[in-house]
Amino acid sequence: MARRTNTRIVEIQKPDLMVVPQIKTTAYNDINLKNWKDYEYVKTDTLWEFPSRLKDGGHSNEYHGNFIPQIAQQLFWRYTKENDVVLDMFFGSGTSGIEAVNMNRRCIGVELKEELAEKVSEKFTPKQLVTGVNIICADSSSEIAREKIQARLDIMMKDKAQLLILHPPYDDIIKFSDRKEDLSNCETTEAFYDGFEKVAKNGYELLEDKRFAALIIGDKYSDGEIVSLGFECQERMKRIGFRHKTTIVKDMQGNEKAKGKDANLWRYRALAGGFNIFKHEYIMIFQKDETHKKHCERQIKCETV
C-alpha cells in the first residue's frame, strides 16, 4: 500500500502476521485433537502389551508388586494436564510420583509402611519433595489420611486431585507387611473388598468432579477356583458412585521377574489342576460424575420403597 506525502510516495509496509496454530483439547488432557494423528504413542485400545519394563528415568524394580511405568505414562497422557495433581492411594515404590515429575505433573502418594515411605522419598530431590511430590504415611482408608491429603491439596492450591490411582494388593497373594490395616492381611476376601471400598470412597471424595480414576488389579486362585478380584472391586467402585468407562487388559510380561524352575512347576500344576496361569491384569477406568451418582441414589431409593 502507498501513501502520497507532498511530492513523495511513501511505501507503508504491512506487519508480518503470525499464524497461531489451532488447538483443541479436552478438559482433562493436553492432547491437541486438531493434530490427533500425532499421538500414535498414546494407546486407545483395550489390550496393552509391553515387552519389557522401563528401567530408566528414575525407575527400578526392587519392590515386588509395583506396576510398570508405562501404565502411569499412558494414564497421565490420557487423563491429566501439565501441573495437574495425581493422587495415588497405594504409593508403594513411587512409580506414580516418578512419572509425575518426569511428565511435569504433581503427585500425592499415600503409603502405609513408614520404612517404605522413607526409602521412596530418597528417590526424589529435596526440591521435588516440596514442589512436585508429597508422600503421606497413613492408612488410605482413614479419616486422618483424608485430612492430610486435603491439607496438601490446599498447599498445592487445588481443591481436589485431577486423577486417582488405585493399585491395591491382590488380596492375600503377597503379604506386604504385618500391619492389620494392610489389605493383604485381611482375614477374608470379603474383608478385603470392604477395606478397598473404604479407600476408594476416600479417593472419590478427594477427586475433582468429571475427572478419572484408574484401578490396576488382577485376579487370584483359591481352593481350586478363580476369585475375580477385579470385577468385584469394579462393582464396589460403581457402588460408590463412579461411572465405569472401560476395562483394559494388560499383559504381565513387563513386570515379571525370571521364574526359572517355578515356571515349569506352575505349568505342571496348571495341567494337573485344570486351570490356566495368569498372564494378564486389568486397568479399569472410571469417571467421577456427581450428577450420575445422585441419579443412582434416587433410583436405589425408589427401588427400596
Side-chain angles (χ1 to χ4, degrees), residues 2 16 28 50-51 101 107 199 232 270:
D16 292 333
Y28 53 83
F50 300 105
V101 170
C107 182
V199 177
E232 180 58 31

Side-chain angles (χ1 to χ4, degrees), residues 30-216:
D30 290 323
I31 293 173
N32 184 3
L33 296 176
K34 293 287 186 180
N35 298 323
W36 61 273
K37 292 183 180 180
D38 295 341
Y39 298 89
E40 293 182 357
Y41 53 89
V42 179
K43 292 182 176 293
T44 55
D45 54 37
T46 58
L47 176 62
W48 290 5
E49 296 179 290
F50 300 105
S52 62
R53 174 191 180 86
L54 285 180
K55 296 186 176 77
D56 56 3
H59 295 288
S60 60
N61 195 22
E62 81 285 358
Y63 186 67
H64 191 61
N66 57 348
F67 64 87
I68 68 172
Q70 292 98 313
I71 292 178
Q73 290 177 346
Q74 291 293 328
L75 294 176
F76 293 1
W77 279 322
R78 284 295 304 277
Y79 302 114
T80 64
K81 293 177 174 287
E82 287 196 7
N83 205 43
D84 275 354
V85 176
V86 177
L87 173 59
D88 190 332
M89 302 296 274
F90 299 93
F91 197 55
S93 64
T95 301
S96 294
I98 294 169
E99 278 309 306
V101 170
N102 292 343
M103 298 175 66
N104 297 320
R105 274 72 173 165
R106 295 179 290 170
C107 182
I108 299 174
V110 186
E111 172 52 45
L112 179 64
K113 295 169 62 178
E114 186 175 353
E115 63 275 18
L116 181 58
E118 291 178 356
K119 183 178 180 181
V120 172
S121 67
E122 296 173 0
K123 297 183 178 183
F124 304 97
T125 66
K127 181 179 179 180
Q128 288 170 345
L129 290 172
V130 172
T131 60
V133 180
N134 184 252
I135 304 172
I136 296 170
C137 188
D139 173 8
S140 294
S141 67
S142 67
E143 183 64 29
I144 292 175
R146 276 187 62 179
E147 292 173 357
K148 288 184 176 181
I149 295 167
Q150 190 61 64
R152 187 60 192 177
L153 284 167
D154 292 343
I155 293 172
M156 291 176 161
M157 301 184 70
K158 293 284 189 180
D159 293 329
K160 304 288 183 181
Q162 284 68 58
L163 175 65
L164 175 65
I165 301 289
L166 297 166
H167 185 224
Y170 298 176
D171 198 7
D172 58 355
I173 294 177
I174 301 172
K175 297 289 186 180
F176 288 100
S177 75
D178 57 1
R179 298 278 298 273
K180 66 177 182 178
E181 303 92 342
D182 189 335
L183 293 185
S184 67
N185 290 324
C186 291
E187 293 184 0
T188 65
T189 300
E190 191 66 24
F192 165 79
Y193 294 141
D194 292 342
F196 167 77
E197 185 174 346
K198 290 178 181 177
V199 177
K201 188 173 182 179
N202 268 353
Y204 182 94
E205 297 299 330
L206 292 161
L207 182 66
E208 189 177 304
D209 192 31
K210 300 297 189 295
R211 300 304 290 260
F212 292 82
L215 167 63
I216 300 103

